[in-house]
Amino acid sequence: MHQRYKGIPWWGWVAAAVLYVVAAAVAVEFAWNRAIDVLADVGAHRLDFYAASLTSELGRFEMVPALVARQGSVRALLKASPDEARALLPTVNAYLEAVNRDVGSGAVDVIDAHGTVIAASNWNQPLSFIGTNVSYRPYFKDALAQGRGRFFGIGTNTGIPGLYFAHAINDGDTAMGAAAVKVSVDALESAWRTPGEVALVVDGNGVIVISTERQWKFTAMRAMTAQQQLEIQASRQYAGRVVEALPYRHRGDWNNAAWFGVFPDPGHEGRTARFLVMSRPAPQGHDTIMVLLDTVGARRQQRIALAFVTGIFLIATLYALYAAQRRRVIVEKLKAQEALRRANDRLETTVAQRTAALTQANTQMQREIAERERTEQRLRATQQEVVHAGKLAVIGQMAAALTHELNQPLVAIRTLCDNARTFFERGQSAQANANLERVGRLVDSMAVLTSELKAFARKPDVELVAVSLGEAVAHARVIYASRIRDEAVRLDVRIAPGTTVYAESSQLQQVIVNVLGNALDAVRGASTRVIAMEASEPDAQGRLRFTIDDSGPGIAPDVLARLFEPFVTTKPRGQGLGLGLAITSRIVDGFGARIAAANREEGGARFTIDFAAAEPPGTEHER
Ligand code: ADP
């Protein structure tokens, strides 16, 4: 039995969702890691490049103060008296100007032991260094103390940031002064500028001195203590400005060479961006080169990976839905087939059951039929026995009646014959003849009796046609004409001319003769002697009713019930055999009609014959 297929179950969806989340997380993580790896590679290369760039671009200026320190005129100037100095100064200034021009630096100057600039390449310019005291500047201090000095700073006169290199000018073991060169880092910054990246050089104080992002310059990468701020102020390294901290947040390490930081977005004022930060010590001094790589590309990679995984999952989900739908259709189809098969099985079972029931019913019926047939046979046998017994009784009655009816004339004939013979022997032929005539009459009456019997026994096998009722009645009147006249019987006949009944002509005459004869017998002793014969109009089916009423005494009650049985009579011996109405009834049955008898309320009997339609209804009207 199939369960209803409900599609993808809830845990399938949950599993898919979990799988999706895991796959998406893995993909996003993988994309991020890969992109950051690539970024870190790029960062490492950048750092190499910046380091090399610093060495090549700035390193070459490092030699310049040392060379200037060896120059004779410079050394002479430092040793010279004020007068000599005045004479030497133009030469030294010209020399410095030439050097500055040749190496492409910002400015070259010579500083005396007190820290005052006594000669400079920009001697003839409005913001000339000459006369400026730089004794507080670390590069000068370092040069006097250690032979050389180096630092990033903002020019006190010019306000232009730059890198200062200094070298001591010694006379034996004592330092007479220092030579210094100032280099602009503008060109470097322009060369390093790359979209999506920020390159920085951070000095020993943690202050950004070179930056491809102009606004970050001279901000600190770490918080400054009050002491540090004071020292910075004193050195006027950053032209006396207060060094602000760059507002950034450390956001975890990528590895030991790189970390993530959220910095002000250089491209968008007021916004922040996440950078991969890498750093390494600069080739010279205590500086650090830093590179910040924007992680927006990595984010894009993540989004692409997420979109890719989502797309694959969407396709997979759609396919799963499609497959589930397909499966549902197949399951439905199988279910329908199964249902059909079961219905078929049920049908077969039902048919088998019904067939069995029918077979049983059939057997039962056949048994019952056989039983009926047996019963019928028994009944028929019984009936035959009854009929046989009835016949025997009738024959017995008839034999008794016949014996009685025939015995009397036979006895009379016997006596008449004996007397006739005697008359012949005596020669009295007239008496003998009279006797023989009486014998003849007696034989005639016997013949009438036997003819009646013959008529009763004869099977009425005749052809029925439309017969005129009026003619049959007229025939009976002729037969009884003398009796009607002699006995003064009034005969009322009301039959419409052309009235026909479905009968056989001679038999119809016999019926009317019988009934009219009985009526004449009945009225013979009555005071009024009236016999009325009447035929109704045929009804729609062509049936009509014929009645014969008489003014006689009516039918005796004990006779009425058995009136149409043979040998039922109330008439004295010799006048009736009781066969008339029995014969009449048989004939009327043969016409398909019915005869009935009743006593009328006003006295006398009424015989009614209901004739069947002579012809099918309708045909008469067409004729
Ligand atoms: P039968 O005339 O030989 O007696 P039926 O069968 O003709 O035989 O008549 C049977 C009996 O029916 C008669 O004996 C008579 O009693 C009675 N019967 C017949 N017709 C009439 C009638 N019109 N009025 C009174 N009784 C009748």
Side-chain angles (χ1 to χ4, degrees):
M1 174 105 179
H2 287 284
Q3 282 257 305
R4 199 182 125 59
Y5 185 64
K6 294 190 186 74
I8 298 168
W10 67 269
W11 50 262
W13 288 110
V14 170
V18 168
L19 193 64
Y20 169 70
V21 168
V22 169
V26 166
V28 163
E29 182 69 11
F30 179 75
W32 175 258
N33 288 350
R34 240 182 72 90
I36 297 299
D37 268 342
V38 170
L39 265 191
D41 263 6
V42 169
H45 283 117
R46 284 277 187 273
L47 288 174
D48 285 347
F49 165 71
Y50 295 147
S53 169
L54 276 179
T55 309
S56 64
E57 290 295 316
L58 303 180
R60 62 194 165 106
F61 296 108
E62 213 168 355
M63 294 295 112
V64 173
L67 289 172
V68 170
R70 288 211 177 82
Q71 182 63 30
S73 58
V74 170
R75 300 175 71 85
L77 181 68
L78 283 170
K79 287 182 199 165
S81 61
D83 287 343
E84 288 168 349
R86 253 192 306 277
L88 267 171
L89 190 58
T91 318
V92 173
N93 277 340
Y95 166 70
L96 294 177
E97 192 180 350
V99 167
N100 186 51
R101 190 177 54 242
D102 290 351
V103 300
S105 53
V108 183
D109 54 355
V110 174
I111 309 155
D112 69 10
H114 309 291
T116 306
V117 177
I118 54 171
S121 59
N122 55 6
W123 57 275
N124 54 353
Q125 285 173 23
L127 293 173
S128 171
F129 291 176
I130 292 173
T132 311
N133 190 285
V134 294
S135 58
Y136 56 88
R137 290 243 175 180
Y139 66 86
F140 173 70
K141 286 191 200 165
D142 289 351
L144 286 199
Q146 294 152 27
R148 54 170 57 188
R150 174 181 179 280
F151 100 136
F152 280 99
I154 300 172
T156 40
N157 289 17
T158 57
I160 297 167
L163 177 60
Y164 294 82
F165 295 107
H167 201 277
I169 304 169
N170 292 332
D171 182 25
D173 286 339
T174 47
M176 297 185 292
V181 62
K182 184 188 174 187
V183 180
S184 165
V185 292
D186 282 359
L188 207 62
E189 285 172 343
S190 311
W192 287 3
R193 207 160 278 144
T194 314
E197 288 178 22
V198 179
L200 306 170
V201 174
V202 181
D203 69 8
N205 295 322
V207 176
I208 298 166
V209 289
I210 297 178
S211 171
T212 55
E213 182 51 38
R214 206 176 295 279
Q215 301 204 326
W216 295 8
K217 210 155 172 181
F218 301 113
T219 58
M221 282 297 289
R222 56 174 185 250
M224 293 275 159
T225 62
Q227 178 62 33
Q228 284 172 319
Q229 286 282 9
L230 276 176
E231 280 172 18
I232 287 166
Q233 294 284 336
S235 69
R236 296 184 61 78
Q237 185 172 358
Y238 311 111
R241 15 171 129 183
V242 176
V243 175
E244 307 272 359
L246 180 66
Y248 77 95
R249 287 187 306 281
H250 195 277
R251 274 291 161 86
D253 293 330
W254 170 245
N255 52 32
N256 48 19
W259 50 274
F260 294 106
V262 177
F263 289 81
D265 190 344
H268 305 90
E269 189 77 41
R271 284 212 238 160
T272 57
R274 194 173 180 198
F275 290 92
L276 180 69
V277 185
M278 298 176 76
S279 57
R280 58 178 283 177
Q284 310 94 349
H286 307 292
D287 301 340
T288 306
I289 308 169
M290 293 183 79
V291 64
L292 277 65
L293 302 132
D294 198 342
T295 56
V296 71
R299 288 245 172 276
R300 201 161 36 238
Q301 295 284 323
Q302 277 185 312
R303 278 199 295 275
I304 289 169
L306 184 64
F308 181 71
V309 169
T310 306
I312 283 180
F313 261 80
L314 276 180
I315 289 168
T317 305
L318 283 178
Y319 180 76
L321 284 174
Y322 165 74
Q325 178 64 26
R326 240 181 84 84
R327 183 136 180 247
R328 186 179 294 134
V329 167
I330 288 169
V331 166
E332 293 289 324
K333 210 183 275 178
L334 283 177
K335 247 168 58 186
Q337 279 174 2
E338 172 71 16
L340 196 68
R341 198 180 60 70
R342 263 182 290 138
N344 226 7
D345 286 356
R346 261 207 308 279
L347 194 70
E348 273 173 22
T349 315
T350 312
V351 166
Q353 279 170 355
R354 293 271 196 287
T355 309
L358 271 177
T359 312
Q360 208 179 346
N362 213 13
T363 318
Q364 176 73 17
M365 204 162 78
Q366 273 170 355
R367 262 208 304 276
E368 279 173 15
I369 287 171
E371 183 63 26
R372 291 256 162 78
E373 279 174 352
R374 273 199 298 279
T375 310
E376 208 178 290
Q377 269 172 3
R378 270 205 303 275
L379 201 67
R380 204 174 291 138
T382 312
Q383 205 179 32
Q384 277 169 354
E385 278 168 25
V386 168
V387 168
H388 189 61
K391 273 183 184 165
L392 283 179
V394 168
I395 288 168
Q397 271 183 315
M398 193 166 70
L402 278 175
T403 309
H404 182 81
E405 289 295 322
L406 294 178
N407 255 356
Q408 269 195 324
L410 283 175
V411 169
I413 288 167
R414 174 82 216 165
T415 309
L416 287 170
C417 283
D418 284 349
N419 291 347
R421 204 165 49 230
T422 310
F423 284 137
F424 275 125
E425 281 169 4
R426 288 180 194 166
Q428 294 172 317
S429 60
Q431 278 88 348
N433 263 336
N435 269 17
L436 287 175
E437 264 175 40
R438 285 184 63 191
V439 167
R441 278 202 297 279
L442 282 170
V443 169
D444 279 348
S445 72
M446 284 168 79
V448 167
L449 192 69
T450 51
S451 78
E452 257 187 65
L453 271 176
K454 205 170 128 198
F456 178 70
R458 191 177 64 210
K459 200 167 169 356
D461 187 17
V462 290
E463 197 190 344
L464 301 180
V465 291
V467 179
S468 168
L469 188 58
E471 277 176 23
V473 170
H475 174 81
R477 277 183 94 152
V478 169
I479 286 178
Y480 292 117
S482 56
R483 261 190 87 179
I484 293 165
R485 191 183 57 240
D486 295 349
E487 292 167 14
V489 176
R490 199 178 90 211
L491 207 62
D492 291 344
V493 178
R494 284 193 288 276
I495 296 170
T499 301
T500 58
V501 293
Y502 193 50
E504 195 277 327
S505 181
S506 62
Q507 285 189 343
L508 182 63
Q509 285 171 10
Q510 192 179 346
V511 164
I512 293 170
V513 164
N514 281 352
V515 179
L516 184 57
N518 280 343
L520 285 171
D521 287 345
V523 299
R524 186 158 47 197
S527 51
T528 47
R529 291 179 288 277
V530 180
I531 296 172
M533 285 187 276
E534 196 174 342
S536 70
E537 281 284 305
D539 68 3
Q541 274 76 40
R543 293 177 298 214
L544 65 82
R545 171 167 285 190
F546 176 58
T547 52
I548 302 154
D549 297 350
D550 63 62
S551 58
I555 303 159
D558 59 323
V559 171
L560 195 56
R562 305 178 292 123
L563 197 60
F564 297 101
E565 288 176 17
F567 308 112
V568 172
T569 180
T570 57
K571 288 170 191 169
R573 259 199 197 129
Q575 285 186 26
L577 200 55
L579 281 173
L581 286 179
I583 291 164
T584 301
S585 156
R586 277 170 62 97
I587 292 170
V588 167
D589 281 350
F591 294 164
R594 285 189 59 76
I595 183 164
N599 286 324
R600 294 189 298 144
E601 267 176 31
E602 56 267 44
R606 162 173 285 188
F607 281 81
T608 308
I609 302 173
D610 287 311
F611 283 100
E615 285 175 27
T619 38
E620 200 170 46
H621 301 289
E622 285 164 22
R623 210 160 31 181

